[in-house]
Amino acid sequence: MTDTVGVEVQKQLDEIRAAGLYKNERVIASPQGPEIRLADGRTVLNLCANNYLGLSSHPAVIAAAHKALDEWGYGLSSVRFICGTQQLHKDLECKVSQFLGTDDTILFAACFDANGGVFEPFLDKECAVISDALNHASIIDGIRLTKAQRFVYEHNNLAELEKRLQETANAKRRLVATDGVFSMNGDVADLAGVCALADKYKALIMVDDSHATGFVGKTGRGTHEACGVMGKIDLITTTFGKALGGASGGCVSGRKELIEFLRQRSRPYLFSNTLAPPIAGATIAVLDLLSKSTALRDKLEANTLFFRREMTAAGFNIPTGTHPIAPLMLYDEKLAHAMADAMLAEGIYVIGFSYPVVPKGQARIRVQLSAAHERHHLEKAIAAFIKVGKALGVIKG
Ligand SMILES: *Cc1c(COP(=O)(O)O)cnc(C)c1O
């Protein structure tokens, strides 16, 4: 057997390593939390999970998962339309709709699948889809699955979006797709501006709120709440794998007839297994918790403001914002990974992000704050960043 592909792939792997772009997966030996234990026994402070509200290992969430497991079983062994729909799934869809202020919701195995299935049913080759340049990989892939004409506008640039809308005046149907919060920068889409343009040019709007649902906006409903456009987004996709407990699962939520159509036509829904009952049950418990009190999102907001303010004062380059994603811009790939290693030696777990996750020359450490962090955690992290930052010449010594 002549295995040329093995040789070629090995060469590419060597190149990835040589460029400082290789992604190692660290093994965690504990549940997810503000502090985690590594496989080598060290306990470190965790600043890189999407565990925004500290619900990943929350006792109420674990209890709800156990209860659903006992009452509804482990798995459905079916897609929804054959024999995979329990009352639990209908209840979760109803809760999500209430929480987001939409008509109806359809569940998917992941938000990646929701984005894979949300575009194609609505857009044929006479349609146009207009996408923010920094949209998440799953939005890009979902758009690739359509036959629609594709247009991109510069990140959060409404003047460019308007030009694309004018250029596509002849399309049968137009859809604007954007992240609510952009995961590498932690910046928020100008949804008020997008909605105004979509109104003016009669386009549909799709927003992926994976980094917002549960904590962005005054009561945590998402970017549509923060931007004052609740009820104006046609299709919201989001994940249960981040703030809402962090297991997995996702959904599309929005206008009644659009959701109904997705149940008939969306391929990742029709051809993939039902969300497991423990996840559905626990996500219901999370939404109940967040509907009763904003205490967790309020604590996350306070933690975020404190960390951003102290780090900026220390001289780190963090683009202004209010989101718990705080990117420390370093630009240099190797520096980003060296800094993450040095932070780990100080007991702080952060990750250097480099190409292809961010553009080349835009490497950074993406810090993510959580409501599970206490003030002493943040003070320890900031002190370590200052020590390491000075040693590596990132800030003045
Ligand atoms: C994390 C993320 C996804 C993927 O969500 P999963 O449920 O883990 O598949 C999709 N879109 C955005 C913007 C994300 O940040």
Side-chain angles (χ1 to χ4, degrees), residues 50 109-115 135-139 179-183 208-211 237-242 247-250 366:
N50 296 310
C111 188
F112 206 107
D113 290 310
N115 288 339
N135 276 346
H136 191 262
S138 55
I139 301 177
D179 274 320
V181 169
F182 294 84
S183 58
D208 177 345
D209 235 5
S210 290
H211 282 285
T237 64
T238 194
T239 183
F240 309 141
K242 290 187 169 108
S248 61
R366 181 179 74 169

Side-chain angles (χ1 to χ4, degrees), residues 361-377:
Q362 292 283 312
R364 67 200 65 182
I365 282 180
R366 181 179 74 169
V367 170
Q368 288 177 286
L369 286 319
S370 169
H373 292 136
E374 301 302 335
R375 192 51 67 90
H376 68 88
H377 290 134

